[in-house]
Amino acid sequence: MSEVEFRPGGEQDAKYLLDMFDGAVAWMNARGNTQQWGTEPWSAVPKRVERVRGMAAGGNLVLAEIDGEPAGAIILDPGPPEHVPTVDEPEIYLGLLITARGFTGRQVGAELIRYALGEAAERGIDLVRVDCYAGGDGSLVRYYERQGFRKTVTFDYHGWPGQVFEQRVGDGRDRAAG
């Protein structure tokens, strides 16, 4: 199995992100999950295309590659989106964590989380947070728990149920084991 390599992302990577979002929507829909990100490919919705371009150009994107192919992406933000409560300490907030469907089962998401925890440690930041869709069968919530995150607060964002998680960098737990 090839090693995951990381590189800074930029606006030139918007197409890769759109492909990942489109693949995720198709994959979720095939499993009956139409509530998390809808049923239309993101590349077919101009508002979402612009959102993804903003993500790519925002300066906090990191791509994971395997054999030179984009396998996943993460955004390391300095704080949460507006619908998530802030905290009174420095943090890295995972504004995005996505894996290309062609790399499913290769632990790309776990590697990206490890990367984020390493970045936090390198920057002297003890807190990494993320939120996710908390509806459906709860599988995404369980995924983050398997990665060493602990549930904190829940929220409802215009009918979209969410769960916020945190992980302390210095807690000594085996992180991203799954």
Side-chain angles (χ1 to χ4, degrees), residues 134-150:
D137 65 2
S139 60
L140 194 51
V141 169
R142 289 189 301 277
Y143 172 80
Y144 282 106
E145 289 176 320
R146 286 193 310 272
Q147 301 311 309
F149 285 91
R150 294 184 186 107

Side-chain angles (χ1 to χ4, degrees), residues 38-109:
T39 57
E40 286 186 80
W42 278 44
S43 61
V45 181
K47 184 176 176 180
R48 287 185 168 177
V49 171
E50 284 308 307
R51 181 175 172 201
V52 169
R53 285 185 181 142
M55 289 177 184
N60 297 321
L61 176 66
V62 175
L63 263 70
E65 295 182 335
I66 296 177
D67 297 328
E69 295 292 320
I74 196 166
I75 293 178
L76 307 177
D77 284 332
E82 64 183 28
H83 57 272
V84 172
T86 59
V87 293
D88 291 330
E89 66 181 289
E91 70 175 313
I92 289 181
Y93 200 94
L94 307 184
L96 173 70
L97 176 65
I98 192 166
T99 301
R101 298 299 1 133
F103 293 91
T104 299
R106 298 192 57 187
Q107 302 299 313
V108 174

